[in-house]
Amino acid sequence: MEKGKLAESLAENDREQVVLAAVVRDRQEMREAEEYLDELRFLAETAGLETAATFTQKLPYPDKRTFVGSGKLQEIKEYIADSAVSAVIFDDELSPSQTRNLEKELGIKILDRTRLILDIFAQRATTAYAKTQVELAQLQYLLPRLTGMWTHLERQRGGTGTRGGAGEREIETDRRIIRDRIARLKEQLVKVDRQMATQRSGRGSLVRVALVGYTNVGKSTMMNMLSKSEVFAENKLFATLDTTVRKVVLENLPFLLSDTVGFIRKLPTQLVESFKSTLDEVREADLLLHVVDISHPNFEDQISVVNQTLRDIGAGDKPVFLIFNKIDAYTYVKRDEDDLMPGTRENWTLEQLQKSWIARNSGVPCIFISARNRTNIDKLRKDLYGMVREIHEGRYPFNNYLY
């Protein structure tokens, strides 16, 4: 085996093993639940973890005490006993009491989807501003969960002679420290938000365009291609946390292009609040370039998630240009010539999918491209130029950029 491959193999074997668990609601389709688990598996991989097994259970609603039922909990417990698993990750946000109960029952670390995403953001944050945003979100998540972290102190006898006295005092001290830290971080972010707002207001008479989309759809690749810059791009979730703004010139028209953090299902509310200034780039944009990974089997669901997130942050009424990326990776199941059954979505060719989408969404301009292979890029630039020019002429009719 080559030295590089050997090192890669050893690193892979050293990764922590985890178990994934999810509850499938009564009205939820199994296909949707499996897709959520696939995404959770990708999140774990992004965090440097390896999935050893997955467990699902169909319930009307999660168990208030342990999220999953007693039978499924015993099944997970038996699996853990026979393997080298270090944690169980649940595909929903757990309450503090559920986390404590699960740790007590299973005897290993318990994570939920929110905690996993926060950990990934902490790994990905590189600038001081992004680190401050992530730390604030982590502390807001941690604050109501402190009690379970001090169970070892609750067993100690306090100075008053009551069981758990010292532990409770320690918890209150930590809560006060965390609340003070949260207050300081919020003050820091308010100052930076003001600075960034001033920067945005001082950008002059330039149209602002923002790249939005589900995480890992190719926004940073699109940014590099349009602005001829070197923004970090990788085939992992949340490769970009910091907003990057570049000046782009198409023909004789300059405009500002920003790349923002990708959206995802069940995006933690703490992150939405902490990344307010980053999302202000989207709120204040004149045009949104909604990048979609057309090779993903459920790209339409991802479009819905992004549209809902845009509405949630107050940007649902912005003009949108849909860019269907990764047509080079699009696949379909070819039907047999003698198959008389009606075709399904998975049987559509790329051409059929394009016609169907354009017919159903005539009010939203769209284009199908491959950023990697540079397919249809000239048309993308031409269409984008036309949209930016229309906005520019409407706002600055006497500006000499165009004449």
Side-chain angles (χ1 to χ4, degrees):
M1 184 180 291
E2 295 177 15
K3 187 177 179 180
K5 292 183 179 178
L6 177 60
E8 187 179 329
S9 175
L10 289 172
E12 204 170 285
N13 292 335
D14 288 342
R15 288 195 301 173
E16 280 189 66
Q17 301 275 313
V18 296
V19 164
L20 309 183
V23 165
V24 184
R25 272 66 165 187
D26 278 349
R27 295 183 180 179
Q28 187 179 15
E29 293 182 12
M30 198 61 198
R31 174 197 61 80
E32 184 182 40
E34 289 172 354
E35 185 189 343
Y36 284 9
L37 270 175
D38 286 342
E39 190 169 85
L40 187 65
R41 187 181 293 106
F42 199 4
L43 283 167
E45 182 183 328
T46 300
L49 306 171
E50 185 174 352
T51 301
T54 59
F55 293 87
T56 59
Q57 184 178 26
K58 200 165 183 65
L59 290 173
Y61 48 85
D63 186 277
K64 290 183 179 179
R65 183 176 174 276
T66 56
F67 193 76
V68 294
S70 56
K72 185 60 65 174
L73 187 65
Q74 182 61 33
E75 189 180 335
I76 296 173
K77 192 172 185 179
E78 290 172 359
Y79 180 87
I80 291 171
D82 297 331
S83 61
V85 172
S86 61
V88 180
I89 305 175
F90 288 82
D91 190 36
D92 274 295
E93 185 167 328
L94 301 173
S95 69
S97 62
Q98 285 174 330
T99 303
R100 290 194 298 272
N101 293 333
L102 286 164
E103 285 179 342
K104 184 178 178 180
E105 290 284 346
L106 299 177
I108 62 174
K109 188 176 182 180
I110 302 298
L111 299 175
D112 58 20
R113 187 184 181 94
T114 298
R115 175 64 184 275
L116 181 60
I117 292 175
L118 288 172
D119 286 350
I120 293 170
F121 269 58
Q123 291 176 17
R124 294 279 171 174
T126 54
T127 66
Y129 183 49
K131 289 176 181 177
T132 303
Q133 291 173 305
V134 173
E135 184 184 354
L136 175 59
Q138 286 179 316
L139 291 177
Q140 289 173 327
Y141 172 85
L142 176 64
L143 186 60
R145 292 166 171 80
L146 272 181
T147 305
M149 300 176 64
W150 290 101
T151 51
H152 63 291
L153 291 175
E154 290 171 3
R155 299 190 189 95
Q156 298 176 4
R157 192 172 295 277
T160 59
T162 57
R163 186 174 179 81
E168 288 304 314
R169 283 201 296 272
E170 191 71 40
I171 292 171
E172 289 307 316
T173 300
D174 267 38
R175 282 178 178 154
R176 186 172 65 254
I177 291 171
I178 289 179
R179 288 193 189 103
D180 290 345
R181 180 64 178 161
I182 287 174
R184 287 196 298 273
L185 290 172
K186 284 184 175 179
E187 288 175 6
Q188 290 177 29
L189 289 178
V190 167
K191 290 178 183 176
V192 178
D193 287 348
R194 286 201 201 102
Q195 293 171 359
M196 296 181 76
T198 302
Q199 289 174 4
R200 287 194 294 270
S201 64
R203 287 173 182 168
S205 56
L206 290 176
V207 174
R208 301 179 195 173
V209 180
L211 288 159
V212 298
Y214 211 77
T215 184
N216 200 42
V217 295
K219 296 188 304 300
S220 296
T221 303
M222 193 77 58
M223 180 76 166
N224 290 335
M225 181 186 63
L226 290 173
S227 65
K228 298 178 182 177
S229 59
E230 291 299 326
V231 176
F232 179 70
E234 188 181 5
N235 186 31
K236 283 190 176 180
L237 302 181
F238 306 116
T240 303
L241 291 190
D242 292 292
T243 298
T244 305
V245 181
R246 294 285 185 270
K247 184 178 179 180
V248 178
V249 180
L250 292 181
E251 296 186 27
N252 59 339
L253 179 61
F255 63 93
L256 295 175
L257 179 65
S258 60
D259 182 18
T260 57
V261 63
F263 301 146
I264 197 171
R265 293 182 187 87
K266 308 175 189 177
L267 188 66
T269 54
Q270 299 94 336
L271 281 174
V272 174
E273 179 58 31
S274 299
F275 278 72
K276 174 184 176 297
S277 184
T278 299
L279 297 173
D280 278 344
E281 291 286 350
V282 177
R283 293 189 189 98
E284 297 182 17
D286 300 301
L287 174 66
L288 301 181
L289 305 185
H290 183 169
V291 185
V292 180
D293 177 4
I294 198 172
S295 68
H296 194 283
N298 297 298
F299 72 86
E300 290 181 329
D301 292 341
Q302 293 185 349
I303 290 175
S304 299
V305 170
V306 173
N307 288 340
Q308 183 58 54
T309 306
L310 290 173
R311 287 192 289 269
D312 291 343
I313 66 173
D317 59 345
K318 298 285 183 183
V320 174
F321 183 21
L322 268 172
I323 302 175
F324 291 95
N325 189 25
K326 304 187 182 182
I327 60 173
D328 56 299
Y330 179 80
T331 59
Y332 69 99
V333 179
K334 190 173 181 179
R335 299 178 64 201
D336 294 332
E337 293 182 3
D338 57 350
D339 187 355
L340 300 179
M341 295 295 291
T344 61
R345 160 72 176 73
E346 66 176 6
N347 302 128
W348 289 2
T349 65
L350 181 60
E351 291 73 21
Q352 289 173 320
L353 183 61
Q354 289 177 3
K355 290 177 182 177
S356 171
W357 185 265
I358 293 171
R360 285 183 293 132
N361 299 272
S362 56
V364 180
C366 63
I367 190 171
F368 296 79
I369 70 162
S370 168
R372 172 180 289 179
N373 295 348
R374 304 187 68 82
T375 305
N376 228 8
I377 300 305
D378 288 341
K379 187 176 188 313
L380 169 66
R381 292 178 184 275
K382 182 179 177 182
D383 291 352
L384 181 56
Y385 171 79
M387 293 177 192
V388 174
R389 174 169 179 151
E390 185 178 346
I391 295 170
H392 190 92
E393 286 178 331
R395 184 172 303 163
Y396 313 110
F398 303 108
N399 190 281
N400 62 6
Y401 280 137
L402 304 176
Y403 308 105

